[in-house]
Structures are given as C-alpha cells and as structure tokens.
Amino acid sequence: MARPFAGRDKFRVFNHGSVSFFAGAMCLALSGCYSATGDFGRPQSGVWENSILPTMGIAAASSRGEPASWFALTEDEKELRARAWNFLMPETDAPVLTRMQDHFAYHRLLPPRESDITLFHRTIMGGQQLGNSPSLRVLTGGETFRSLTSRYNRVRDVITADHALIPYFKLIAAQVLQADHVRARSLTHVAHLTEEQYEQAIKRICENALIIARVHWAFHDRAAQYRFSLEHLLVEGPEREAIPAERSLMAFEADIGRFRKETLLPSVCNEPVALPEPLAPRPLVRKG
C-alpha cells in the first residue's frame, strides 16, 4: 500500500534510535494517564494532552523528518485535529495496546501503526486474537454475542456513525486548506519575513496536509476493515441483515470517493503528501 507521506520509510530509523527509546518510555509512563472522556472521545483535557504530549510529538515528528511546526494553532486547525481523532483511533473496545499505539501516533510520539484489516472483525467477534478462529472463540469463551444478527447490526451501526462524521471533517478540512492556500500565496508578499518564519509556515501547511491525508488513508482502512468483517460474517452465517449493512458500506465508500476527488492539497511541501486513489463502492460479493 502507498504511503501517506513521501519518503515515510526513512522515518523507520525512529524505531531504533534514542528518540524511540524516549518515546517508548513516555508511552509507559503516561499509559496510566490515558482516559477517553473528553470531546470527540479523546482523553480528557489536561496538562498532558494540551501541553506535554503535543510538545513531545512535535520534537519526535521532526526527528523522523515529518513536517511539524511550532506556530500556534488556529481555531480551525485545532478543530481539524480534534475531528481527525475519530478516524485515527480504533474501536473503543479494541486491544488496549493497539489503542495506546494509535493514541501516541495521534500525538506523533510514534509513527502511525501499520493497518490491520482484521482488527475490527476480531474486536467485534469477542476476541482480540481469537476473532478469526470460530473454534477458539467458543472454546475460550470469547463468543460474547447472542447471534450473528447482532454482529451485522454492529457493523452497520459503526459504519453509519462514521459516515455521519464525514461532512463535519470535510468542512473543517476545506476551511484549513483554503486558509493554507492563502498562506502559501502570501509568503512571497509579506515584508521582513524571516527564514525561520517562512520555514515554520511551510511546515504548518504540510503538517495540516499530512493530517488530512492520514484521515483519507484511515477512511480507506476502515472501509477495508468493515468489508472484511461483512464478508467473513457472510461466510460464517448469511443473514438478511447483511443487506442493509452492505448498503451502508457502499454509501460510506461512495462518500469517501467523492471527498477524495474534491481534496486539493497545497503544492508547496518539499516532499509531496500522498493521497490514496479515489475509492469506488462495490457489492460484497462479485462474480468473475
């Protein structure tokens, strides 16, 4: 799969250096402070979430070569990051380690976790590691649902909830991109602009673009996870509830595809931010 940011492979050195050790220590030290009780399901606001994690995240992202600016955030940029949380984090009952990894990736202390197409299905089937094995699920008491109908409905409801949030993210992303296009055009016309100010402005433009791109990739990852789950549910137990769930998925995919086609990122980044190819809706089962 393509990368959200050109040259992302070089960021892997982060996993082997002193910064990686420090970020890992921070993860362990702060794991007890993790509490998803704030707006948009994020951890409750406080000194860790508002000051320490963002500051360390900028330093860690910079060490990996990712665009990270020390400029203050505009209100729209704050809203963009808050809305991104919904799509960059997995289900609330996903494996704890997975949620912790994504939490610190959101704050950029860690690079984004590689996508796992089976994660959602394993989560809703009652076992973090046993969800894809029906026999192990039953033998270990992992089957915590009464019927497969409830699983189809769970997938449909989650897709519907995600789909309902797309317009809000789309609106705030458009506002941020519009402001960044203006910012980029203004750079050559502002008098007495220092080299540091110029560089920080470019980094903030690319930082915003990278967040928007990662949410686009998250859309694709979620659609793939939901499709995987519905297809495997269809094999395990065909139910009439598969039809409305499939329709919800196809509507979700169609909206993702339209959003992708309408997104135009600024071209001023030194390393272009990569967006996924537009997603086209398709039925669960195709012949040929």
Side-chain angles (χ1 to χ4, degrees):
M1 182 176 288
R3 296 292 191 259
F5 187 76
R8 176 174 163 185
D9 286 342
K10 72 180 182 181
F11 302 150
R12 297 301 179 189
V13 298
F14 168 73
N15 293 331
H16 304 289
S18 59
V19 179
S20 176
F21 173 81
F22 181 76
M26 285 290 293
C27 290
L28 292 175
L30 300 177
S31 60
C33 303
Y34 179 69
S35 174
T37 57
D39 294 339
F40 306 109
R42 296 171 301 166
Q44 189 172 14
S45 296
V47 65
W48 292 114
E49 293 294 324
N50 294 339
S51 300
I52 296 179
L53 291 182
T55 300
M56 295 307 303
I58 293 175
S62 298
S63 74
R64 298 193 298 270
E66 295 180 17
S69 174
W70 294 99
F71 273 173
L73 293 170
T74 67
E75 293 306 311
D76 282 346
E77 288 170 343
K78 293 176 184 176
E79 182 76 4
L80 177 73
R81 285 151 179 77
R83 293 284 177 183
W85 172 273
N86 293 286
F87 301 105
L88 299 180
M89 293 292 291
E91 284 286 282
T92 55
D93 52 354
V96 174
L97 180 59
T98 298
R99 288 193 60 79
M100 288 302 302
Q101 284 180 290
D102 285 350
H103 179 218
F104 287 100
Y106 169 82
H107 285 292
R108 295 182 294 177
L109 279 167
L110 299 175
R113 179 178 52 83
E114 292 295 332
S115 60
D116 177 3
I117 196 173
T118 72
L119 176 62
F120 177 75
H121 191 65
R122 288 188 288 112
T123 298
I124 70 167
M125 296 304 282
Q128 297 177 2
Q129 303 297 330
L130 308 176
N132 289 334
S133 174
S135 58
L136 288 177
R137 272 206 325 266
V138 175
L139 291 173
T140 59
E143 187 173 358
T144 58
F145 51 89
R146 291 183 177 274
S147 70
L148 290 175
T149 297
S150 67
R151 299 304 87 190
Y152 281 108
N153 291 338
R154 168 80 177 269
V155 180
R156 182 203 61 204
D157 291 345
V158 172
I159 295 173
T160 301
D162 276 355
H163 196 179
L165 294 175
I166 290 181
Y168 299 99
F169 184 83
K170 181 178 179 180
L171 175 61
I172 195 63
Q175 292 172 344
V176 169
L177 288 175
Q178 182 180 22
D180 279 341
H181 284 300
V182 172
R183 182 177 358 213
R185 291 194 299 268
S186 301
L187 289 175
T188 57
H189 302 290
V190 175
H192 310 297
L193 191 68
T194 67
E195 182 177 350
E196 181 186 15
Q197 289 173 321
Y198 181 89
E199 291 178 352
Q200 290 297 315
I202 294 295
K203 287 181 179 180
R204 174 50 51 79
I205 292 172
C206 296
E207 180 184 330
N208 291 335
L210 183 57
I211 291 172
I212 293 170
R214 283 179 175 166
V215 171
H216 273 285
W217 285 97
F219 286 153
H220 280 239
D221 288 342
R222 288 200 173 200
Q225 289 185 50
Y226 300 150
R227 178 169 293 279
F228 177 93
S229 188
L230 288 176
E231 288 176 344
H232 283 250
L233 282 170
L234 191 65
V235 171
E236 184 165 344
E239 297 276 7
R240 287 187 295 273
E241 284 71 18
I243 298 174
E246 177 189 46
R247 290 172 179 169
S248 297
L249 176 60
M250 293 181 67
F252 181 58
E253 291 174 330
D255 218 6
I256 292 171
R258 284 191 293 268
F259 184 22
R260 165 61 184 87
K261 292 177 181 178
E262 296 167 0
T263 301
L264 179 62
L265 299 180
S267 58
V268 297
C269 301
N270 293 328
E271 296 188 66
V273 176
L275 288 170
E277 292 298 320
L279 187 63
R282 56 186 176 87
L284 289 181
V285 179
R286 294 185 298 175
K287 297 180 179 179

